């Protein structure tokens, strides 16, 4: 009944790196002994002289990337999200963000869908950490193709960029394949009653939620924001003005992520009810990716429930 | 703002330059009433030897691609690098008066985007050596021949990341990387061997694949010889342990733990400046 195709977002990242390296000799890739997991091993196979495995040294890797950027290279420093944001947080803040160096951080295995490895490896705080650093751009693409587009956009952009990918295979969402402009939201579905704002893999759940709401007689706007920072304030302001409330959806903690970015902006500019779908203030646990998304409330049904509560209150 | 031409520089000139730099360090920190004197005074000869004798650089072209690069990994010692850069002509000497003031390009810790001559923004310890290693790798990829000089504090090498960088530089045979450890044995809270023992340093670095040597970090001839030897040693990065005296040049500051990050009072400043008169 369901013919949806599933693909890895991290594969979109590495496929883009290969495309980039073919045309730009300054593109180099670093990894920290997780190349088979992040898929940068595919890059290494084609460009062994432009791939640097730093071993289990995420902190050193971030600074080496900073050094390569200072010498004019476009380094993509790759590791798991927990290590990029927490283990090497000081290095990203002080060696990359502060001097605004042209380093791209490719973070895989982000979110609860990292699955069996459990809470230690499920980055649910990385968006919060990265968007709090001045000069940092934060991209959270939603499927394989958007990951590919986001990676290429990051290479064209001058300055530090955090790119967030998952471990699992995620639904392909054709609605988000129409280009990639950093800082621009994508309007996936027009609607007047409520706005669903998604980032990352929640795009597919947002679209499903809009379908369910339509069956109940509500028209939901779906705004996909693969750029969490800088947030598209124009699209948000239009949503706050044009609909009765906003529901955000992210595969990340409700603390400091997309939900807070949206709520913070509309609270100051056009006070609007905002409800957040995301991981509540809790650590995850081991399990299969899809069952964890159910268990931690990251589904269309959760978005619908929040949307209905917004609509019933106003 | 005079630039000493390297060929004409003799030891007497370097010593005179070191004395001037020490006076500027004290004035800067006294005026700001904030900053790190002890570790700046201990590394004066290393920086003077590098900038007035050993490094290929041109203050009129801070971004000249073929320049040698200096990276202050012990980022808190900005007074010594700012004094040297100003004297070389990277920015006006009068800027030193703005050290640590709002709006100044002379931040408490180095900030490369703002200050001409500063190559790498440092501050939290242990990052500079890794960044320099990344730069040195970049130069190798581009087949460039310039070198990277790094100054680490001895307390700084207690950071685990330093040893990550040491492994990395060995793996990629970064013989264009020459690092000094300012071995003054004092760190913020006390004597290094009591806070977190570091000795023996040379065998540690040798085990990590580096060429090493130990010198008197206040003796210009020894600094110059150590660097010239390092330049001629292919295949390996070089680590120079420079034995120094924290607070060097001011009798009441020498080897006193308290002079890590405390500015001198007016009376102390005047006494220190008197000691550093010709």
């Amino acid at each position: 009944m369901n013919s949806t195709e599933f693909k890895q977002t991290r594969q979109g990242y590495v496929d883009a790196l290969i495309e980039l390296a073919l045309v730009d000799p300054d593109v180099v890739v670093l990894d920290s002994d997780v190349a088979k997991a992040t898929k940068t091993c595919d890059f290494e196979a084609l460009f062994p002289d432009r791939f640097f495995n730093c071993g289990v040294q995420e902190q050193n890797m971030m600074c080496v990337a900073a050094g390569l950027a200072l010498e004019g290279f476009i380094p993509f420093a790759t590791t798991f999200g927990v290590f990029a944001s927490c283990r090497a947080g000081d290095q990203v803040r002080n060696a990359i963000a502060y001097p605004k160096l042209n380093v791209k951080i490719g973070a895989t295995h982000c979110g609860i869908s990292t699955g069996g490895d459990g809470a230690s490896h499920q980055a649910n705080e990385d968006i919060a950490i990265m968007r709090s650093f001045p000069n940092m751009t934060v991209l959270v693409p939603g499927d394989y193709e958007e990951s590919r587009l986001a990676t290429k956009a990051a290479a064209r952009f001058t300055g530090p960029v955090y790119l967030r990918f998952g471990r699992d295979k995620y639904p392909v969402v054709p609605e988000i394949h129409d280009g990639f402009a950093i800082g621009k939201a994508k309007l996936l579905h027009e609607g007047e009653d409520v706005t669903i704002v998604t980032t990352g893999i929640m795009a597919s759940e947002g679209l499903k939620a809009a379908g369910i709401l339509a069956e109940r007689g509500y028209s939901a706007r779906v705004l996909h924001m693969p750029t969490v920072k800088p947030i598209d304030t124009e699209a948000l302001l239009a949503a706050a003005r044009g609909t009765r409330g906003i529901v955000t959806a992210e595969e990340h903690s409700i603390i400091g992520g997309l939900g807070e970015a949206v709520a913070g902006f509309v609270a100051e500019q056009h006070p609007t009810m905002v409800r957040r779908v995301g991981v509540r203030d809790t650590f995850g646990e081991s399990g299969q990716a899809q069952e964890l998304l159910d268990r931690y409330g990251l589904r269309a049904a959760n978005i619908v429930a929040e949307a209905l509560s917004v609509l019933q209150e106003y | 703002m005079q630039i000493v031409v390297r060929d004409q520089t003799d030891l007497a000139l370097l010593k005179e330059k070191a004395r001037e730099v020490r006076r500027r360090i004290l004035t800067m920190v006294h005026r700001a009433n904030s900053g790190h004197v002890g570790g700046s005074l201990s590394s004066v000869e290393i920086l003077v030897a590098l900038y007035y004798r050993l490094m290929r650089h041109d203050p009129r072209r801070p971004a000249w691609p073929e320049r040698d690069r200096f990276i202050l990994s012990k980022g808190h010692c900005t007074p010594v690098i700012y004094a040297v850069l100003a004297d070389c002509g990277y920015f006006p000497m009068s800027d030193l008066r703005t050290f640590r003031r709002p709006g100044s390009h002379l931040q408490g810790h180095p900030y490369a985007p703002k200050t001409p001559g500063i190559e790498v923004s440092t501050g939290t310890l242990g990052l500079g050596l890794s960044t320099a290693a990344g730069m040195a790798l970049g130069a190798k990829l581009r087949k460039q021949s310039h070198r990277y000089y790094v100054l680490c504090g001895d307390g700084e090498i207690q950071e685990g990341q330093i040893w990550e960088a040491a492994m990395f530089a060995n793996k990629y045979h970064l013989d264009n990387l020459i690092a000094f450890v300012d071995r003054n044995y004092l760190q913020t809270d006390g004597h290094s061997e009591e806070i977190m023992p570091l000795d023996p340093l040379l065998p540690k670095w040798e085990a990590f694949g580096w060429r090493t040597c130990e010198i008197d970090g206040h003796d210009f001839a020894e600094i110059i010889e150590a660097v010239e030897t390092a330049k001629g040693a292919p295949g390996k990065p070089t680590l120079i342990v420079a034995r120094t005296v924290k607070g060097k040049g001011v009798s009441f500051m020498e080897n006193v733990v308290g002079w890590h990050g405390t500015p001198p009072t007016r009376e102390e400043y005047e006494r220190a400046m008197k000691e550093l008169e010709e």
Side-chain angles (χ1 to χ4, degrees):
Chain A
M1 61 156 210
N2 192 340
S3 64
T4 306
E5 191 188 355
F6 286 73
K7 286 177 89 172
Q8 289 169 337
T9 49
R10 54 190 156 136
Q11 192 68 55
Y13 168 63
V14 175
D15 288 352
L17 293 181
I18 291 166
E19 287 178 58
L20 287 163
L22 286 169
V23 294
D24 188 343
D26 288 334
V27 169
V28 292
V29 174
L30 300 98
D31 204 304
S32 55
D33 196 40
V34 284
K36 290 190 185 76
T38 62
K39 300 289 178 187
T40 60
C41 58
D42 292 358
F43 183 94
E44 181 185 16
L46 293 170
F47 302 98
D49 298 339
R50 290 157 71 179
F51 176 81
F52 305 98
N53 199 324
C54 298
V56 189
Q57 299 191 338
E58 298 83 7
Q59 302 169 60
N60 182 54
M61 176 180 72
M62 291 301 175
C63 289
V64 166
L68 286 163
L70 281 164
E71 296 300 340
F73 290 91
I74 307 174
F76 283 78
T78 316
T79 186
F80 294 175
V82 275
F83 307 137
S85 61
C86 294
R87 186 63 175 254
D90 174 38
Q91 288 73 15
V92 173
R93 179 185 185 272
N94 287 301
I96 297 171
Y98 177 39
K100 210 175 178 179
L101 294 181
N102 196 24
V103 173
K104 318 302 170 187
I105 299 163
T108 70
H109 294 59
C110 295
I112 199 89
S113 64
T114 293
D117 281 346
S120 63
H121 283 56
Q122 293 160 345
N124 286 328
E125 312 82 7
D126 57 320
I127 297 175
I129 293 165
M130 289 296 161
R131 65 179 276 270
S132 73
F133 295 157
N135 296 334
M136 186 60 79
T137 293
V138 180
L139 305 184
V140 189
D143 70 353
Y144 166 87
E145 176 62 10
E146 196 177 42
S147 295
R148 200 179 68 81
L149 295 171
T151 304
K152 294 177 85 168
R156 283 192 300 272
F157 177 85
T158 303
V161 179
Y162 181 77
L163 288 148
R164 185 183 206 246
F165 310 103
R167 190 198 77 90
D168 206 32
K169 288 180 174 174
Y170 303 96
V172 168
V173 186
E175 290 88 340
I176 62 175
H177 295 174
D178 186 18
F180 195 100
I182 291 175
K184 284 285 170 215
K186 295 176 178 177
L187 180 63
L188 308 188
H189 190 267
E190 193 48 271
E192 285 89 46
D193 293 327
V194 64
T195 301
I196 299 166
V197 180
T198 67
T199 196
I201 61 161
M202 297 305 287
S204 61
E205 300 295 328
L207 282 167
K208 265 188 230 164
I212 298 167
L213 287 165
E215 286 168 16
R216 302 209 183 180
Y218 294 109
S219 119
R221 180 179 305 186
V222 181
L223 210 50
H224 178 54
M225 294 199 155
T227 307
V228 176
K229 186 187 178 186
I231 197 100
D232 186 342
T233 53
E234 204 179 318
L236 281 180
L237 197 55
R241 285 180 177 148
T243 61
R244 285 147 66 193
I246 295 173
V247 178
T248 63
E250 60 197 305
E251 193 206 4
H252 179 272
S253 170
I254 55 164
I255 296 174
L258 172 78
E260 281 196 358
V262 170
F265 173 75
V266 299
E268 285 188 346
Q269 299 300 322
H270 193 95
T272 308
M273 171 63 84
V274 176
R275 291 197 182 261
R276 296 167 293 167
V277 170
V279 176
R280 307 313 286 186
D281 185 14
T282 182
F283 284 107
E285 63 188 305
S286 291
Q288 286 177 17
Q290 298 303 317
E291 68 186 3
L292 290 173
L293 291 170
D294 292 338
R295 194 171 164 86
Y296 287 82
L298 303 172
R299 292 300 194 190
N302 307 98
I303 298 170
V304 169
E306 296 297 343
L308 290 175
S309 81
V310 166
L311 291 166
Q312 279 151 19
E313 270 180 62
Y314 288 84
Chain B
M1 256 177 289
Q2 126 219 37
I3 297 161
V4 179
V5 178
R6 284 183 295 140
D7 299 350
Q8 296 167 3
T9 309
D10 58 26
L11 292 181
L13 258 173
L14 291 173
K15 279 181 187 164
E16 173 56 18
K17 200 48 87 179
R19 194 184 59 82
E20 286 173 18
V21 168
R22 284 199 161 86
R23 288 175 63 89
R24 291 197 182 106
I25 289 169
L26 288 163
T27 302
M28 228 184 299
V29 174
H30 174 62
R31 195 187 291 268
N33 198 28
S34 155
H36 297 79
V37 228
S40 291
L41 292 174
S42 71
S43 48
V44 168
E45 279 77 15
I46 297 169
L47 269 86
V48 167
L50 286 172
Y51 276 88
Y52 297 94
R53 177 68 181 262
L54 293 163
M55 279 175 26
R56 191 169 51 164
H57 69 115
D58 182 353
R60 289 161 303 175
R61 292 182 294 162
W64 179 37
E66 289 160 48
R67 72 194 184 281
D68 290 330
R69 276 81 156 158
F70 173 77
I71 293 99
L72 185 72
S73 199
K74 50 179 250 174
H76 52 285
C77 293
T78 38
V80 63
I81 182 72
Y82 291 162
V84 168
L85 290 177
D87 187 66
C88 287
Y90 280 92
F91 49 82
M93 195 66 84
S94 57
D95 288 5
L96 297 181
R97 290 187 210 145
T98 67
F99 175 54
R100 287 185 172 239
R101 293 277 159 81
S104 171
H105 69 90
L106 299 178
Q107 294 295 295
H109 292 81
Y111 186 52
K114 278 193 175 174
T115 309
I118 291 291
E119 300 283 356
V120 175
S121 309
T122 53
T124 70
L125 293 174
L127 276 58
L129 186 61
S130 290
T131 306
M135 298 167 86
L137 174 66
K140 289 261 176 203
L141 294 176
R142 296 209 196 281
K143 303 198 188 316
Q144 294 164 326
S145 62
H146 57 263
R147 291 186 173 80
Y148 295 82
Y149 296 93
V150 182
L151 179 64
C152 294
D154 54 354
E156 180 185 14
I157 68 173
Q158 291 165 355
E159 286 280 7
Q161 191 184 343
I162 288 291
W163 303 97
E164 295 185 1
M167 282 184 245
F168 182 90
N170 171 56
K171 177 183 174 183
Y172 291 103
H173 310 293
L174 302 178
D175 52 13
N176 51 354
L177 182 64
I178 299 170
F180 289 87
V181 173
D182 184 4
R183 186 64 169 129
N184 57 38
Y185 278 92
L186 295 182
Q187 55 191 103
T188 315
D189 281 351
H191 193 275
S192 71
E193 300 313 285
E194 287 167 14
I195 302 293
M196 186 52 68
L198 290 163
D199 279 336
L201 274 186
L202 297 189
K204 282 196 176 87
W205 285 89
E206 279 159 20
F208 276 73
W210 288 53
R211 223 185 53 75
T212 66
C213 65
E214 186 167 3
I215 58 165
D216 176 346
H218 298 303
D219 184 316
F220 283 113
E222 290 194 26
I223 298 167
I224 291 164
E225 193 195 337
V227 169
E228 293 298 352
T229 308
K231 285 182 183 178
K236 283 184 174 190
T238 294
L239 191 280
I240 300 169
V241 173
R243 288 189 316 275
T244 58
V245 173
K246 198 154 182 170
K248 174 77 175 176
V250 179
S251 61
F252 60 92
M253 291 182 177
E254 288 190 358
N255 281 322
V256 176
V257 168
W259 287 106
H260 174 79
T262 313
T265 62
R266 167 149 293 280
E267 189 268 326
E268 288 164 339
Y269 169 68
E270 282 165 3
R271 268 169 64 204
M273 292 298 274
K274 207 160 204 75
E275 287 190 21
L276 289 166
E277 277 172 8
E278 281 166 279

